[in-house]
Amino acid sequence: MSIARITRRLGIMAASAVLLGLSACGNGDDSATGAAPTEIDFAILSAESQASAGPLWQPLLDDMSKAIGVPVKPFFGSNYTVLVEAMKGNQTQVAWLSAKPSVEAIDRADAEVIARTVNKEGADSYRSTLIVKAGSGITLQQVLACGKRFNFGIGDAVSTSGTLAPMTFLFNAQTPPIDPAVCFKTVRSANHQANAFAVATGVVDVATSNTVNTVFLTRENPQIAAQIQEIWQSPPIPESGIVLRSDLDPAIKEKIRSFFLTYGQGEGVEADRQRQVLAGLEYSQFRAADNSYLNPVREMIADQQLSDARRSGDAAGVATAQAELQRLRSLREVQP
C-alpha cells in the first residue's frame, strides 16, 4: 500500500470519528441559506493540545468577535482532515490552514482564501524539514539509502510540509523515486509536534517537520528542541492562510476580510496590542491573497499524483496529472 493511501486512510478514519460527534451540533444552516450567522466557528489545528494553542489564538478571536459583531468560537482539530470535513459540513465557517488543506477546503468544502500569514521576519513562506535525534549520526544519505533500516514519522495526510513537500522535493526527486512505505522499517503518521517528540525520545529515527514547528518547539519545549537536528530543508513553500466558506453572508465575509487585513496595522496603543497578539502566533500581519496563491501547492499535488500513477501503472492517471502540471506551469509563466 502506498504512503498516500496509508496516510489518507488514517486521516479519514479520524475525521469520521470526530464528525459523528459533530452531526448533532454546530452552527446550523445559517451560512448555507445565505442568512447572517449568529455564531462563527473558527477552525485551528492544535498540534500539541487545545491547552497549548487556545491561549495564543483566543485574544485574536475575541478581537474578531468585536470587529464583526458576531461571537467567534474556536474549533480545535487534531489533524487537517478533521478540519476540512468540519468546514465541508458547515461545522466551521472560517479556518487557519496550511496550504494543502486550504486547497482541500476549496475543492471539497466550497471555501475561498482571503489572506495569507506573514511571519515576524516578513516572509510569507516556510520550509519543510527532515529531523533526526541530535547526536544520532543519521545522515540524509543514509535515509535515502532505504533498506528498511529506520523507523519513519510522516505528517498528516493533508499536511503541506509534513507529507506533500517532502514527497515532492525529496522522495519523488530521487532516481528512481522513493516510496517511504517500501523504504523504511515502519511508517507512522502524526502531526509535527508528535513526530518531534517521537524523534527526541527515540520512538522513530527520522521524521518530517517544518521551520515553523521548530520555532514553536524551541519556545514551548526547549529541552525537546535541543534533542532534534535538521538534516534536510525543502525549497520555500507558501505559508498558511485564512479561508472561509464562500456561501457566508457577504456582509459578514467582508467584515472578516477587513479584520484580518487591518489587524496589527497602523499606530497607537491598540495596534501595538494587536501586534503582540500576532507575535505570540509568530506572525507580523495577514496579507491579502486569493486562491491563486495556492497554485505552487497544486503543482506539488499534481507531481505527487503523477508519481503515484506511474508507480501503479495507471496510464490515464499519468496523462491527467501531466496535463494538470502543464496547465499550472503555464499559469506560472504568464504571471508578472
Side-chain angles (χ1 to χ4, degrees):
M1 182 179 294
S2 72
I3 192 66
R5 287 187 178 181
I6 292 171
T7 51
R8 189 180 302 118
R9 177 174 295 181
L10 289 169
I12 291 171
M13 289 171 62
S16 298
V18 172
L19 291 175
L20 282 174
L22 289 172
S23 59
C25 60
N27 193 37
D29 294 325
D30 290 341
S31 297
T33 61
T38 57
E39 178 182 294
I40 294 290
D41 290 283
F42 189 99
I44 300 166
L45 177 75
S46 181
E48 182 175 3
S49 67
Q50 180 174 336
S52 174
L56 297 176
W57 281 97
Q58 196 58 54
L60 184 142
L61 300 187
D62 290 341
D63 290 341
M64 182 177 168
S65 297
K66 295 175 184 177
I68 70 174
V70 176
V72 179
K73 294 185 177 181
F75 177 97
F76 293 97
S78 60
N79 65 64
Y80 284 122
T81 302
V82 168
L83 299 185
V84 172
E85 289 299 316
M87 178 164 279
K88 181 179 179 181
N90 198 25
Q91 306 299 330
T92 64
Q93 295 74 45
V94 187
W96 165 67
L97 298 174
S98 68
K100 186 172 187 291
S102 294
V103 171
E104 296 274 338
I106 291 166
D107 292 348
R108 299 174 50 220
D110 192 29
E112 64 183 79
V113 174
I114 60 167
R116 62 192 299 181
T117 58
V118 179
N119 69 19
K120 292 196 290 187
E121 288 71 43
D124 56 8
S125 63
Y126 67 118
R127 295 174 187 266
S128 172
T129 62
L130 213 61
I131 58 174
V132 299
K133 187 175 178 65
S136 67
I138 298 173
T139 66
L140 181 61
Q141 183 178 9
Q142 290 173 338
V143 171
L144 297 180
C146 296
K148 293 189 177 294
R149 178 179 177 183
F150 299 118
N151 297 302
F152 180 58
I154 199 165
D156 183 321
V158 194
S159 172
T160 312
S161 57
T163 299
L164 182 62
M167 290 301 300
T168 300
F169 297 120
L170 183 59
F171 298 121
N172 289 344
Q174 305 306 309
T175 305
I178 290 174
D179 181 352
V182 176
C183 177
F184 298 108
K185 184 189 302 182
T186 63
V187 177
R188 50 176 277 173
S189 175
N191 60 44
H192 291 309
Q193 193 81 4
N195 276 336
F197 274 79
V199 167
T201 57
V203 175
V204 299
D205 302 298
V206 58
T208 60
S209 185
N210 67 33
T211 52
V212 175
N213 186 57
T214 299
V215 171
F216 275 97
L217 200 64
T218 301
R219 183 179 67 185
E220 301 294 330
N221 293 282
Q223 292 182 332
I224 294 295
Q227 299 179 61
I228 292 172
Q229 175 186 354
E230 291 181 2
I231 60 172
W232 173 81
Q233 283 194 351
S234 74
I237 52 181
E239 252 287 11
S240 55
I242 304 297
V243 302
L244 48 72
R245 283 180 58 98
S246 297
D247 58 4
L248 263 177
D249 171 70
I252 290 294
K253 186 187 297 186
E254 189 52 43
K255 287 181 180 179
I256 294 172
R257 187 192 312 272
S258 176
F259 167 76
F260 280 104
L261 298 187
T262 60
Y263 195 78
Q265 305 305 299
E267 304 296 332
V269 174
E270 180 62 9
D272 289 341
R273 182 192 67 79
Q274 291 176 358
R275 280 190 282 271
Q276 287 299 311
V277 173
L278 287 172
L281 296 167
E282 299 297 330
Y283 295 143
S284 61
Q285 68 177 101
F286 297 95
R287 183 173 294 163
D290 58 28
N291 294 356
S292 66
Y293 109 91
L294 297 169
N295 282 348
V297 179
R298 289 192 181 275
E299 280 195 51
M300 286 191 277
I301 293 171
D303 177 85
Q304 180 60 45
Q305 291 171 338
L306 178 59
S307 177
D308 289 343
R310 282 174 172 165
R311 187 178 293 121
S312 65
D314 179 3
V318 168
T320 298
Q322 287 176 330
E324 177 67 358
L325 276 171
Q326 184 176 0
R327 182 187 73 83
L328 290 164
R329 287 166 180 166
S330 297
L331 289 174
R332 172 157 45 88
E333 289 170 0
V334 301
Q335 287 179 344

